[in-house]
Amino acid sequence: MTDKTRLLDTFLTLTGFDSESFGERAIADELKKRLSALGLTVEEDRADELCGQKSENSAGNVYGFLPGNRPGTPILLSSHMDTVKPGIGKRAVVSPDGTITSDGTTVLGADDAGGLSAILEALTVLREDGILHADVEVLFPCAEEIYGRGSEVFDYGKLRAKESYCFDLTGEIGEAVTRAPTILSLNITVEGRGAHAGFNPEDGINALTAAARALVRIPTGRVAEDTTVNFGRIEGGSVTNAVPAKVVLGGEIRSLRHEEALRKSEEITRIFAEEAEALGASAVVESKEMVRAYETPEDSPVVTRFADAAREVGLEPSFGYTFGGADQNHFSKFGLSGIVAASAMHDVHTVHEYTRLDELEQLTALILALIRKA
């Protein structure tokens, strides 16, 4: 039922737009036009403005509603509009075997144009073939790549659906994740006292030393099977002949258990305070929740429907977990039971990103099966 040529054209059109986070104006307009032509009621919210990122190139979240023509369970289909950097001037290259890459200077944008294209093609087939279906809602968030900033401020009160399928995962079509972590962003400021390193170092309090003593005590990396800790940025001091008065560190905690992420944050705060105080310095740890962990039971309707739909189109479903965040983290927080499914993208967030046309076809078939089974 899928029109392969049309599907490819849609993908190439969408990846041709510059759409780095909070720069999705052009692709949002294209998606609104296409959804309206397919008979959906379409709205765009003020997510960019609410996030303090309003500009001539920014856009809000794009939402569409297609009323059902039979009773059934309303479902939400979602893929995000933005890409990571470098994403300006993208040019897709299609190989004879159906592999699609960028020209090597930018990302391709299959993350997440793969999901967007398959959803649009599925809705087109739905309309062309007169397939009976329940209510279908689509949500194309902005700024997903920045911890889901767009979906975080969406008004979930307008949704009819209580079940969501977020297409935003690397892997083979049919794979999905039912768990994702809480991600806490850490910003740590250690303040000591400056002094000349040669003339009077005893009058100084070395902020870098205090930070180093704390870091030595904190395990990093995969600290448990379901938890990671990392410090990835440190800034401080000004010249080599002065005792550094201030050091700022950046890090993160990820855990599939929300309470464990909070516990780790408290532990890190305590250790920095202890080591700073021991030297006469001070430490302030700011912990910000970027996304919250969720777990969707594998016997829930949203999961069993996905498994049935995958098998119906000749795919073998599999379920696991991820240490990455996605819009589904916010969907779950606001009451939507859902999963994140593979969406025909590989080597994402690199200039080596690629997809395959046959995978885009498989994804479209899977989405159609999900709609029919709702």
Side-chain angles (χ1 to χ4, degrees):
M1 294 186 293
T2 300
D3 186 323
K4 183 187 300 187
T5 300
R6 181 175 60 200
L7 177 58
L8 176 60
D9 287 345
T10 297
F11 180 83
L12 296 179
T13 297
L14 296 183
T15 54
F17 291 111
D18 293 339
S19 55
E20 291 178 349
S21 301
F22 289 120
E24 306 96 335
R25 178 73 274 146
I27 194 171
D29 288 342
E30 178 71 14
L31 290 167
K32 289 193 297 181
K33 180 181 71 174
R34 288 175 178 249
L35 291 173
S36 295
L38 290 169
L40 282 79
T41 301
V42 182
E43 302 175 19
E44 180 184 340
D45 67 12
R46 300 184 299 112
D48 52 343
E49 182 179 337
L50 294 173
C51 293
Q53 297 292 331
K54 181 70 174 177
S55 73
E56 63 179 3
N57 293 320
S58 67
N61 302 307
V62 173
Y63 164 77
F65 172 69
L66 182 66
N69 49 23
R70 63 158 174 81
T73 304
I75 62 171
L76 177 71
L77 307 173
S78 181
S79 290
H80 62 83
M81 297 187 292
D82 61 319
T83 72
V84 295
K85 298 178 180 181
I88 303 299
K90 301 189 302 296
R91 188 176 72 84
V93 178
V94 184
S95 299
D97 66 356
T99 302
I100 309 170
T101 66
S102 73
D103 64 4
T105 63
T106 68
V107 297
L108 170 63
D111 178 10
D112 202 10
L116 294 170
S117 301
I119 291 172
L120 288 175
E121 178 63 19
L123 293 174
T124 303
V125 173
L126 203 68
R127 180 183 178 92
E128 288 180 341
D129 293 2
I131 298 172
L132 297 179
H133 60 87
D135 291 346
V136 177
E137 294 175 284
V138 298
L139 178 58
F140 298 150
C142 63
E144 185 277 341
E145 298 291 1
I146 313 176
Y147 297 107
R149 295 281 303 280
S151 59
E152 184 177 23
V153 299
F154 180 71
D155 178 10
Y156 290 89
K158 68 176 55 180
L159 295 181
R160 297 161 176 80
K162 299 299 181 184
E163 299 177 6
S164 54
Y165 295 95
C166 181
F167 298 96
D168 186 19
L169 184 71
T170 59
E172 299 301 314
I173 306 302
E175 295 179 4
V177 295
T178 58
R179 299 179 70 190
T182 286
I183 302 177
L184 301 181
S185 177
L186 303 176
N187 190 75
I188 304 168
T189 302
V190 180
E191 294 199 63
R193 183 168 62 240
H196 195 283
F199 297 151
N200 60 328
E202 60 277 357
D203 293 334
I205 299 176
N206 195 310
L208 180 56
T209 299
R213 287 175 51 155
L215 289 174
V216 167
R217 291 179 56 190
I218 300 170
T220 57
R222 195 172 300 281
V223 298
E225 183 179 354
D226 61 0
T227 305
T228 63
V229 176
N230 185 65
F231 295 96
R233 176 176 56 83
I234 183 166
E235 302 170 354
S238 56
V239 291
T240 57
N241 63 349
V243 175
K246 181 177 179 180
V247 170
V248 178
L249 303 93
E252 67 164 30
I253 301 167
R254 298 187 184 220
S255 181
L256 297 175
R257 293 173 289 151
H258 180 67
E259 293 304 321
E260 177 62 13
L262 297 179
R263 190 190 72 78
K264 278 292 179 187
S265 177
E266 292 172 357
E267 178 183 312
I268 289 169
T269 299
R270 174 180 57 79
I271 290 173
F272 267 93
E274 290 174 353
E275 294 300 336
E277 183 179 354
L279 294 181
S282 65
V284 175
V285 178
E286 298 174 321
S287 178
K288 181 178 181 181
E289 180 183 309
M290 310 309 291
V291 295
R292 182 170 295 189
Y294 72 88
E295 180 174 5
T296 304
E298 292 198 11
D299 61 354
S300 63
V302 70
V303 176
T304 57
R305 182 183 301 110
F306 182 87
D308 291 343
R311 294 189 183 99
E312 181 180 291
V313 297
L315 301 169
E316 185 56 40
S318 65
F319 301 96
Y321 62 86
T322 179
F323 272 89
D327 288 315
Q328 183 59 48
N329 286 76
H330 296 308
F331 296 171
S332 293
K333 183 178 179 180
F334 288 98
L336 285 165
S337 174
I339 60 175
V340 181
S343 55
M345 57 185 190
H346 305 277
D347 287 352
V348 298
H349 296 197
T350 77
V351 297
H352 307 294
E353 183 185 10
Y354 71 94
T355 189
R356 295 192 295 266
L357 182 55
D358 62 338
E359 287 189 315
L360 292 172
E361 291 182 89
Q362 288 178 325
L363 181 57
T364 301
L366 175 57
I367 293 172
L368 277 166
L370 286 170
I371 294 173
R372 290 197 304 268
K373 288 183 173 296

